[in-house]
Amino acid sequence: MNSLKTLSHIILTLVALTLIYGCGPHQGARMTKPTLEKNENLVYLDYALTSKIPNEVLEAEILESGRMRVYARFYNKQDKTAECQIKIKFKNDDGRIIDQTGWMPFLLPRRESTEFEHISLTSGVKDFTLLLRAAE
Amino acid sequence: MKNSQQNNSQLYVGLLSIIFGTLLVLSGCVGTVSRVHKDDEPVKDVEASDVDMRAMAREMATAIIELEMIKNHDGPVVVAFPTINNRTLTVDFNSSNLQSMIRKQLIEHSNGKLQFLDMELSNLIFAERDAKRSGQKTSSKRADLPGADYFLKGEAHSSRKIASDGQMSASHRYFFRLTDAETGIIGWEKDYEFKKYGRRGMVYR
């Protein structure tokens, strides 16, 4: 009987605590160090890809129209086709993203170099970040 | 004594039942639908997905916007963009959606250099103009209808093969061309090609 009473007290306390701490505003956690995306032009979202699909070339040029053309080349060291996705974010002087693509399919045949080239739709681009991940 | 003990145990059982019942109801209220990012593909098959459509639209738009014949054209370039021919043998292909994706990016980023004729509303526009000119409707302005400088024409093709294990291989090719509306000369053409293998699409079930 006592143990049943104790158990119900514990359950009620847990429910009350969940309600108290689950509701209400909470202070957000701020980033203490910059993300890779902020500083790097090429970011692998999946660590395994860094050794399997190393980057050979990464170049960018500003065109006459003010748009940026980014060219990259990757080598697939594996013995099978690598199904990846690639995304590019174009930034202005302040580092703000002013144009970006969605995740685009990027297939790399086995033991081959594959090129990727993309031009921004917006002009005034000063920097970029290229992201690569394995397709789900 | 026995009665009070019985009452107490009934109380606790009742309390636990209420708590358990509440949790059960709340878990039911959460539901089984979750919002996913537009680039995620929770359902995959061999057909062209919206990820493919978006990537294709982006590629076509970036290619067109940098064309010398567009940049060097005197003044805005007027483009007629008729319906994309569907030769994919599926009803899933949404021509107007793909057209809109390409057109929207070109209008948004060309700084007025590229202008599109609204071909879907052509008949309505002609009727409206006739009504205004015959005095049936008032109008705040009159303008000439611009002719197209270029036609942007697209076609979607797919072919499929069924493997012995029942899975399917599908090849997709989408191509677009810009044709001079005055001379009929094709000034630019580009394609977007991909192949998938796996589960067949819904239309084949």
Side-chain angles (χ1 to χ4, degrees):
Chain A
M1 202 58 59
N2 272 337
S3 61
L4 207 55
K5 192 175 173 179
T6 310
L7 182 64
S8 65
H9 283 158
I10 290 168
I11 291 170
L12 278 171
T13 308
L14 283 172
V15 169
L17 284 171
T18 307
L19 286 171
I20 288 165
Y21 288 103
C23 304
H26 300 277
Q27 190 171 2
R30 298 183 75 105
M31 298 290 298
T32 50
K33 71 181 201 182
T35 58
L36 274 177
E37 246 189 75
K38 191 168 188 269
N39 298 329
E40 303 291 330
N41 286 131
L42 174 61
V43 176
Y44 287 80
L45 265 63
D46 295 302
Y47 180 74
L49 293 181
T50 54
S51 54
K52 291 178 186 174
I53 304 175
N55 173 247
E56 291 181 323
V57 176
L58 185 62
E59 291 168 355
E61 64 168 323
I62 307 287
L63 303 174
E64 217 176 278
S65 56
R67 297 186 175 93
M68 177 182 274
R69 175 193 285 130
V70 172
Y71 168 80
R73 196 170 68 220
F74 297 89
Y75 182 75
N76 181 8
K77 290 164 99 173
Q78 301 170 99
D79 217 10
K80 58 174 183 172
T81 298
E83 193 179 343
C84 298
Q85 289 179 323
I86 196 162
K87 181 178 192 169
I88 185 159
K89 298 183 182 183
F90 295 101
K91 303 172 191 172
N92 64 6
D93 260 332
D94 298 328
R96 288 192 179 185
I97 299 166
I98 55 175
D99 182 24
Q100 63 176 315
T101 68
W103 282 104
M104 301 180 288
F106 185 47
L107 245 64
L108 297 99
R110 65 188 187 97
R111 304 231 176 261
E112 237 183 86
S113 289
T114 306
E115 295 177 337
F116 170 79
E117 190 172 310
H118 201 82
I119 299 175
S120 66
L121 280 170
T122 319
S123 51
V125 177
K126 299 293 178 206
D127 200 6
F128 72 97
T129 302
L130 191 63
L131 299 131
L132 188 72
R133 72 180 186 186
E136 288 166 12
Chain B
M1 185 70 153
K2 204 174 174 184
N3 268 346
S4 113
Q5 277 176 352
Q6 271 178 342
N7 284 341
N8 278 344
S9 64
Q10 277 173 355
L11 181 69
Y12 295 135
V13 168
L15 206 60
L16 283 173
S17 304
I18 289 167
I19 292 167
F20 180 70
T22 307
L23 287 172
L24 205 60
V25 166
L26 286 174
S27 69
C29 291
V30 168
T32 56
V33 175
S34 53
R35 192 174 279 273
V36 296
H37 192 273
K38 64 182 180 183
D39 286 335
D40 288 342
E41 291 183 280
V43 178
K44 293 189 184 187
D45 59 27
V46 297
E47 302 307 325
S49 65
D50 51 343
V51 171
D52 296 311
M53 294 293 117
R54 257 197 304 283
M56 186 192 330
R58 174 87 194 193
E59 209 168 295
M60 294 302 156
T62 51
I64 291 169
I65 212 165
E66 278 289 314
L67 285 174
E68 290 301 322
M69 61 201 234
I70 301 292
K71 289 195 292 189
N72 297 339
H73 193 274
D74 199 21
V77 178
V78 179
V79 180
F81 192 179
T83 306
I84 298 168
N85 283 353
N86 177 11
R87 298 191 207 285
T88 62
L89 306 174
T90 78
V91 295
D92 282 352
F93 174 66
N94 190 331
S95 164
S96 63
N97 196 32
L98 179 56
Q99 260 181 303
S100 171
M101 281 186 201
I102 296 171
R103 195 172 53 219
K104 178 221 165 204
Q105 291 184 84
L106 287 171
I107 290 171
E108 199 174 315
H109 297 286
S110 68
N111 298 320
K113 186 67 181 178
L114 282 158
Q115 296 178 348
F116 286 83
L117 298 174
D118 196 333
M119 307 196 64
E120 204 179 304
L121 297 180
S122 290
N123 290 340
L124 282 175
I125 291 166
F126 294 143
E128 192 69 16
R129 286 167 60 88
D130 288 344
K132 285 172 183 171
R133 277 150 182 78
S134 67
Q136 288 176 348
K137 290 188 180 183
T138 59
S139 71
S140 56
K141 67 164 188 178
R142 292 205 177 176
D144 293 329
L145 281 173
D149 295 309
Y150 294 96
F151 283 102
L152 175 58
K153 187 74 184 103
E155 277 194 31
H157 290 251
S158 297
S159 63
R160 292 163 190 81
K161 288 181 185 173
I162 298 175
S164 54
D165 59 359
Q167 302 233 73
M168 186 180 272
S169 157
S171 298
H172 303 275
R173 183 170 179 260
Y174 295 72
F175 55 91
F176 293 84
R177 63 181 189 269
L178 265 177
T179 305
D180 190 313
E182 195 65 22
T183 63
I185 293 173
I186 299 172
W188 168 87
E189 185 158 358
K190 188 173 172 67
D191 68 356
Y192 185 90
E193 208 171 346
F194 56 98
K195 190 185 257 187
K196 293 188 181 182
Y197 176 79
R199 197 171 69 118
R200 55 177 74 181
M202 288 295 291
V203 72
Y204 290 96
R205 300 228 173 100

